[in-house]
Amino acid sequence: MSLAIPNGLDNTVERPGERAPLVLGETTYHDITEAVCKVAERPPSKGWIGGFLVAFALLQMLGLLIVYLIYTGVGVWGNRAPIFWGWPIVNFVFWVGIGHAGTLISAILFLFRQEWRTSINRAAEAMTIFAVACAGTFPGIHVGRAWLAFWLAPYPSLNLWMWPQFRSPLLWDVFAVSTYGTVSLLFWYMGMVPDLATFRDRSKNKYRRMAYGILCLGWSGSSRHWMRYEKAYAILAALAAPLVLSVHTIVSFDFAVSQVPGWHTTIFPPYFVAGAIFSGFAMVLTLMVPARQMLNLEKLITIRHLENMCKIILATGSIVGLAYGTEFFIAWYGQVPAEQFAFLNRAFGPYAWAYWTMISCNVISPQIFWFKKARTTPWIIVVVSIFVNIGMWFERFVIVISSLSRDYLPSAWAYFTPTWVDWGMLIGSFGLFFTLFLLFCRTLPVINMAEVKATLAKQEHMAHLHGHGEEAGEGH
Amino acid sequence: MDQKTMSETKIETTVHGMMAEFTTVDSLLSACRRVRDAGYTKTDAYTPFPVHGIDKALGIKPTALPWICLIAGATGTCIALAMQIWMNSIDYKYIISGKPYLSLPAFIPVAFELTILLASFGAFFGMWALNGLPKFSNPMFTDPRFDRATDDRFFLYVDASDERYDAAGVRSLMADTGSDYINEVVEDDSPKEVPKPVFLIWGLAVAASLVPLICILTMRVTNSSRPRFHIFFDMDFSPAKDAQQVTSLFADNRAMRSDVPGTVARGQMEESLDMLSGIDVEALTLSDPPRVERLVRAYMQADDEAKAEEQETLEKEAEEAAEVTEAAPASVMDTTPWVENNPLTVDAELLAIGQQQFAIYCSVCHGMDGYGNGLVNQRAQSISAPTWVPPASMHQETLYADKYPDGKLFSTISNGIRKMPGYAGQIKLKDRWAIVAYVRALQKSQNASLDLVPDAKKAAVEKAVEEAKAELKRQAEEAEKAAAARQQAQQ
């Protein structure tokens, strides 16, 4: 490679007229294969085992709590009149939002030909799937008689003699989230097939080879297959892009279509989508910054990748901040007393602590990314992205709880207090998420090798053109 | 050399084709072009990542996949719309949130999601089907070096079924392209049958998965003499108490609870009956107890029947009074003990409200000054409306407070009289009393002498009167002058 990289592995220096390299060092195709496959092939590290045990213990706790909840009834939660939605829906919206960054990276950035997505999209998509799994848990157990949740499906029931109500946003939600989960899974799996073939071909163990052999469907790398594969991938991306926007829009309809002051606003769809992308990118960073270090993937997931994601966080964080301001403005401008009260109550009422936590985490903390130093320093990135995750959880908390607790009728006011089961389930859902993510790291290709190789090929091609101008014409 | 021995040893097996290995994309691409230009069509390349430009280099035709997607997506839209329309507008009609049975806007989200879902299935499954996958056996896999096709090597392949295929010719052509590994691909002769245990395990798994289903079905169709097992006892048998039940929960052992002190039930209002009806109820209790009962029902319990009956009484009374006025004094017939004085504190604020409400609701007929010549009356007179009953003047003596008590005036505003409809529905209770107060002020304002004006304001009033007189005089003079001028002009 003729492209000189100053300061070793720093690719964050802007050089006009040249694209920053996305794969660093004297990396070959084989190096990429080695780096990614090693993650799954070598025995697990102590850190991984420790992390997995903790996450798995939390998952067990979630399972036990769900059993306890179903056996006893939803009264074990803090959901009381008038806050019947409470904590589980806060968690649901939070987790669905986390999922969005994965699809955004894999679909929208793909459509915009943003090649820096290649080394992060696999993990981000995995995160999407796992986040949607966490999200799906909560409405599933929130319906009260969880074992009858299948009534939501439009099937000819001989017991009910009736059909679901298709004019309700809650049913749209069922379709949106399940479609989203399914399409994300297809997209993720399809993207993984060529890499699973690499895993198969490297496997020494017979059973391992068989397992990956079945998973990769007999992929051979044929150019005819690649051509259809790429077409299918582009189509899926084009389908997933509007899908991802629709999902959180529909989630926001659950609120916006109601009459509750603080919910009944048209700003919700765009504001929820921006918030979802914001929180999703924060979660990607929270996972990727430690993961790239632990799995030795710094050459593939570069500081440049992190910096780009920080820029997106800065942009979406500012959009979210603008949305908060707009809500206040409209409450004043709209001159609806209940609406005005709802927003004043959020900022200065009994949940002011949650509101100001949200503001400081979501609006103020990402502003540090205006500084390049902050965007390129991993520990600052992790700290800020954790803040953003906390802030976005609180955003959902503020929207759901504060609006319900101070409705139109002062006689129906109440203060929501979570129970230990609420807390346990929130923490347990992180157990589910991290268990799945850690298993993913150990068993599946964490980086899209095929795409990174294609990026490297292009990068080498460009370097070839730049470095050896006299040879550039040859063969082209 | 090594390659030769390999191909010789496998001479008896079926040859599937010829492959060549390359280390760079560019060498593969140029080799592809060579092979294509030599006229081979049954060719393929195997690469660890999609190589751009290889479609052209190999002569690969575009795929029909987008069309499959389009059809699948359109099917999704149709299924979703048909499903929602049939389920919610035809088979199971149910009004919810005021939306029509067939509310297309509400059906859009699900239609959108199903479109995306089926189009994605089309792209996903269509791609695998077109590619002929999953297919776990492939002659290419017989070559040990082919494992690197998913790592860092690029392979070019020419199929033996190609019309121009000739082992030596292909091999020399490939050698020309600079490949350093060329080998014949032999047919995969590993046993094609799936091992029997796989079927056994598969069959067992399918059978096991049916067990719960069969159990559920059996339970649904068989009768049992034993009571059903209640997993969630408190959901099947609610601990909520019925009326008249005994409970240990409260000290008085009654499940029914009495009202919390201060409870305002529906129909109960905070104002007194006197104020609501304009009738002195205490006095009425002595003379006509049944009517008091009716008043309570009409006003306190919002009983429409009682209200209509009361209205009838009032109308009858008014008619009789109107007949009698011509012959004898009104007070003879009117037996209702009306409230004599406005129950609200009359002050400037109340009068301002009364003036405003009077201007809004009353002045259109009664006129701003209350002389009964509002715009509606003027119009009615001008077209000689046949059924028109001219509105009363507020300044006739029979309407003064001594003959027409405040309560009666209030009742007239609320319930109407003759052609005038009741305004209880339009004007709030206190505002109606404010109008009563304003009407009284209006009556007093006519024929008022200067003595009634407080000393402090006398000077101002006198000045205003002087000014008004001067203005009238000036206008009269101007009119005179104008008339004189007109006369002169005519002459």
Side-chain angles (χ1 to χ4, degrees):
Chain A
M1 289 214 304
S2 63
L3 227 167
I5 299 165
N7 311 328
L9 292 181
D10 182 13
N11 62 340
T12 59
V13 182
E14 300 291 347
R15 267 167 298 176
E18 273 178 43
R19 291 222 170 193
L22 295 171
V23 180
L24 298 183
E26 296 287 331
T27 309
T28 63
Y29 300 134
H30 186 65
D31 292 341
I32 295 171
T33 313
E34 282 289 326
V36 178
C37 294
K38 274 273 163 59
V39 175
E41 282 166 0
R42 61 175 172 223
S45 65
K46 280 192 184 121
W48 186 90
I49 295 173
F52 183 77
L53 287 178
V54 172
F56 195 62
L58 293 179
L59 172 61
Q60 305 281 315
M61 180 178 81
L62 177 67
L64 290 175
L65 286 178
I66 289 176
V67 171
Y68 174 60
L69 172 95
I70 291 179
Y71 198 79
T72 319
V74 284
V76 298
W77 277 335
N79 297 359
R80 301 273 185 282
I83 306 147
F84 289 115
W85 277 38
W87 199 268
I89 300 303
V90 175
N91 295 343
F92 163 69
V93 184
F94 171 73
W95 279 117
V96 170
I98 294 290
H100 281 54
T103 326
L104 185 97
I105 290 171
S106 54
I108 295 178
L109 294 188
F110 174 80
L111 295 176
F112 286 136
R113 302 282 180 270
Q114 292 297 306
E115 276 164 8
W116 61 270
R117 70 182 263 286
T118 52
S119 45
I120 50 171
N121 72 336
R122 174 66 45 71
E125 285 169 39
M127 187 196 78
T128 296
I129 313 275
F130 306 149
V132 171
C134 292
T137 310
F138 286 99
I141 55 180
H142 185 247
V143 293
R145 300 188 182 192
W147 57 97
L148 296 178
F150 64 90
W151 281 3
L152 289 163
Y155 74 107
S157 162
L158 296 176
N159 285 340
L160 296 170
W161 293 112
M162 60 184 184
W163 297 111
Q165 176 48 259
F166 283 105
R167 303 183 201 94
S168 159
L170 294 174
L171 191 65
W172 305 345
D173 230 14
V174 174
F175 277 80
V177 175
S178 55
T179 300
Y180 182 51
T182 312
V183 173
S184 302
L185 194 65
L186 293 184
F187 200 37
W188 181 57
Y189 175 62
M190 201 182 100
M192 215 151 47
V193 164
D195 291 349
L196 288 170
T198 310
F199 270 42
R200 170 199 64 194
D201 291 342
R202 283 176 59 95
S203 302
K204 306 278 185 291
N205 180 312
K206 187 178 152 198
Y207 296 104
R208 198 180 160 89
R209 193 178 177 94
M210 199 189 286
Y212 286 119
I214 290 170
L215 280 177
C216 75
L217 307 175
W219 181 261
S220 59
S222 155
S223 289
R224 289 166 200 279
H225 290 182
W226 272 121
M227 186 265 299
R228 296 192 192 100
Y229 174 91
E230 282 202 287
K231 186 63 88 180
Y233 196 84
I235 292 172
L236 275 186
L239 291 170
L243 177 66
V244 70
L245 300 183
S246 85
V247 170
H248 226 61
T249 301
I250 290 176
V251 169
S252 81
F253 284 163
D254 289 347
F255 301 95
V257 172
S258 77
Q259 298 286 342
V260 177
W263 285 5
H264 187 60
T265 53
T266 46
I267 199 180
F268 264 25
Y271 154 42
F272 267 49
V273 170
I277 292 163
F278 182 50
S279 66
F281 269 91
M283 188 57 98
V284 174
L285 281 172
T286 313
L287 294 176
M288 297 302 266
V289 175
R292 73 190 268 276
Q293 214 121 29
M294 278 188 257
L295 307 176
N296 297 320
L297 297 171
E298 283 113 321
K299 281 185 183 175
L300 302 180
I301 304 171
T302 64
I303 293 286
R304 184 86 185 183
H305 290 96
L306 305 183
E307 195 191 348
N308 283 354
M309 286 195 272
C310 289
K311 286 178 185 169
I312 290 186
I313 287 202
L314 178 59
T316 48
S318 304
I319 294 174
V320 168
L322 179 68
Y324 295 156
T326 310
E327 281 192 315
F328 265 87
F329 172 76
I330 293 297
W332 164 75
Y333 188 69
Q335 285 292 307
V336 180
E339 198 76 14
Q340 290 173 340
F341 171 77
F343 284 97
L344 285 178
N345 179 58
R346 274 184 193 176
F348 306 109
Y351 292 104
W353 57 274
Y355 184 83
W356 294 107
T357 310
M358 169 188 100
I359 291 286
S360 29
C361 288
N362 282 356
V363 184
I364 300 167
S365 79
Q367 299 305 322
I368 196 176
F369 286 147
W370 286 107
F371 301 101
K372 194 182 178 89
K373 177 84 186 151
R375 291 201 301 267
T376 51
T377 311
W379 72 264
I380 298 181
I381 296 175
V382 174
V383 169
V384 173
S385 56
I386 288 175
F387 272 140
V388 169
N389 278 320
I390 295 172
M392 283 308 291
W393 189 88
F394 270 102
E395 183 195 296
R396 277 68 185 241
F397 179 86
V398 166
I399 290 172
V400 174
I401 308 286
S402 79
S403 284
L404 283 179
S405 73
R406 291 285 182 273
D407 205 335
Y408 293 104
L409 282 177
S411 59
W413 283 4
Y415 190 84
F416 176 84
T417 317
T419 62
W420 65 274
V421 182
D422 281 314
W423 280 109
M425 283 194 171
L426 173 61
I427 297 165
S429 67
F430 278 92
L432 172 62
F433 182 76
F434 282 106
T435 303
L436 291 172
F437 194 81
L438 287 169
L439 283 177
F440 159 74
C441 287
R442 286 289 309 150
T443 52
L444 296 172
V446 283
I447 286 181
N448 193 333
M449 289 183 270
E451 278 195 21
V452 175
K453 283 173 194 168
T455 311
L456 180 63
K458 193 169 174 186
Q459 188 174 305
E460 279 183 347
H461 186 72
M462 300 303 283
H464 189 68
L465 286 183
H466 279 279
H468 314 280
E470 69 279 6
E471 293 167 29
E474 180 201 42
H476 292 283
Chain B
M1 191 186 84
D2 187 35
Q3 300 139 21
K4 260 184 194 169
T5 49
M6 272 179 80
S7 56
E8 273 162 17
T9 50
K10 286 173 186 166
I11 204 101
E12 281 145 45
T13 53
T14 327
V15 173
H16 196 76
M18 186 79 74
M19 67 145 79
E21 185 192 276
F22 298 89
T23 51
T24 63
V25 177
D26 289 342
S27 56
L28 173 75
L29 278 175
S30 57
C32 285
R33 285 190 205 100
R34 288 281 295 273
V35 170
R36 178 196 64 194
D37 293 345
Y40 293 98
T41 51
K42 294 197 168 163
T43 55
D44 206 346
Y46 295 87
T47 54
F49 54 85
V51 172
H52 288 268
I54 204 157
D55 303 1
K56 225 173 134 193
L58 273 176
I60 301 175
K61 289 194 196 82
T63 164
L65 194 62
W67 291 105
I68 295 176
C69 269
L70 181 70
I71 293 165
T75 313
T77 321
C78 294
I79 290 177
L81 286 178
M83 171 179 82
Q84 294 181 85
I85 290 169
W86 189 73
M87 288 180 184
N88 276 181
S89 343
I90 297 169
D91 190 48
Y92 185 66
K93 290 183 176 183
Y94 193 80
I95 293 183
I96 197 90
S97 60
K99 290 182 188 122
Y101 296 128
L102 204 165
S103 47
L104 277 181
F107 293 163
I108 287 174
V110 170
F112 176 83
E113 299 299 332
L114 272 191
T115 307
I116 298 272
L117 184 69
L118 289 211
S120 303
F121 282 156
F124 184 81
F125 295 109
M127 187 269 287
W128 298 125
L130 290 176
N131 281 348
L133 296 177
K135 180 183 156 201
F136 297 108
S137 161
N138 186 333
M140 303 301 290
F141 294 154
T142 56
D143 192 306
R145 287 185 75 147
F146 189 71
D147 275 355
R148 295 187 75 174
T150 54
D151 179 7
D152 61 346
R153 287 298 146 90
F154 307 85
F155 291 86
L156 177 61
Y157 168 78
V158 178
D159 200 282
S161 64
D162 194 291
E163 279 167 18
R164 304 176 69 100
Y165 188 82
D166 144 51
V170 174
R171 184 182 289 277
S172 69
L173 178 67
M174 281 178 165
D176 257 11
T177 59
S179 166
D180 49 8
Y181 175 82
I182 300 167
N183 193 21
E184 256 176 2
V185 181
V186 292
E187 198 67 59
D188 184 4
D189 54 359
S190 56
K192 293 222 164 53
E193 296 84 41
V194 180
K196 291 231 164 58
V198 172
F199 282 113
L200 192 70
I201 293 168
W202 183 254
L204 282 176
V206 170
S209 71
L210 289 176
V211 171
L213 203 65
I214 291 167
C215 286
I216 292 171
L217 284 175
T218 328
M219 280 186 206
R220 293 197 81 99
V221 295
T222 47
N223 294 323
S224 169
S225 55
R226 277 180 299 160
R228 197 152 67 97
F229 174 62
H230 299 283
I231 309 172
F232 307 100
F233 195 82
D234 55 349
M235 282 196 168
D236 292 332
F237 302 101
S238 165
K241 292 286 172 197
D242 291 333
Q244 311 294 353
Q245 262 188 331
V246 175
T247 179
S248 55
L249 209 59
F250 301 105
D252 60 1
N253 291 344
R254 284 161 51 148
M256 288 170 81
R257 310 310 304 155
S258 52
D259 285 345
V260 175
T263 306
V264 179
R266 190 172 296 181
Q268 273 187 349
M269 297 181 202
E270 66 269 38
E271 303 300 349
S272 70
L273 198 52
D274 286 23
M275 189 162 171
L276 287 167
S277 63
I279 297 171
D280 187 346
V281 178
E282 214 168 296
L284 191 66
T285 326
L286 299 174
S287 61
D288 190 359
R291 193 172 168 196
V292 174
E293 204 180 297
R294 202 173 66 216
L295 280 179
V296 171
R297 276 199 289 134
Y299 287 100
M300 294 300 199
Q301 292 162 8
D303 183 336
D304 289 339
E305 221 172 278
K307 214 167 244 177
E309 227 172 294
E310 170 66 14
Q311 181 77 18
E312 224 169 83
T313 313
L314 287 170
E315 271 165 28
K316 213 166 83 190
E317 219 166 61
E319 261 168 48
E320 280 168 6
E323 277 169 25
V324 168
T325 359
E326 281 151 33
S331 50
V332 175
M333 276 311 295
D334 193 354
T335 53
T336 309
W338 296 108
V339 171
E340 293 291 336
N341 294 311
N342 200 323
L344 302 179
T345 323
V346 179
D347 53 13
E349 205 182 324
L350 188 76
L351 286 176
I353 295 170
Q355 185 178 24
Q356 184 203 37
Q357 296 294 320
F358 185 88
I360 293 170
Y361 293 102
C362 316
S363 68
V364 285
C365 289
H366 290 283
M368 294 297 276
D369 51 7
Y371 277 101
N373 198 23
L375 289 171
V376 173
N377 186 49
Q378 286 174 29
R379 171 71 179 158
Q381 300 293 353
S382 75
I383 61 170
S384 314
T387 59
W388 182 249
V389 179
S393 164
M394 295 292 119
H395 305 295
Q396 63 196 51
E397 260 183 65
T398 50
L399 288 185
Y400 282 179
D402 52 339
K403 295 192 179 125
Y404 207 93
D406 278 3
K408 193 172 180 182
L409 187 53
F410 169 83
S411 175
T412 306
I413 296 172
S414 306
N415 302 303
I417 189 163
R418 289 184 295 273
K419 285 284 168 189
M420 173 182 162
Y423 279 79
Q426 286 98 310
I427 315 176
K428 285 183 211 153
L429 179 72
K430 285 185 178 162
D431 290 352
R432 274 176 269 146
W433 282 110
I435 293 174
V436 171
Y438 178 68
V439 169
R440 295 291 175 230
L442 208 55
Q443 288 170 339
K444 287 225 172 83
S445 73
Q446 307 301 308
N447 313 319
S449 66
L450 204 54
D451 306 337
L452 291 173
V453 181
D455 290 336
K457 292 192 177 165
K458 228 171 218 172
V461 172
E462 271 169 0
K463 197 182 161 201
V465 170
E466 288 305 317
E467 272 173 14
K469 275 184 183 163
E471 175 67 18
L472 282 172
K473 203 174 166 191
R474 190 182 60 78
Q475 280 177 4
E477 275 168 12
E478 254 175 39
E480 234 168 75
K481 267 183 206 165
R486 258 202 309 278
Q487 257 180 351
Q488 264 184 346
Q490 273 174 357
Q491 282 167 358

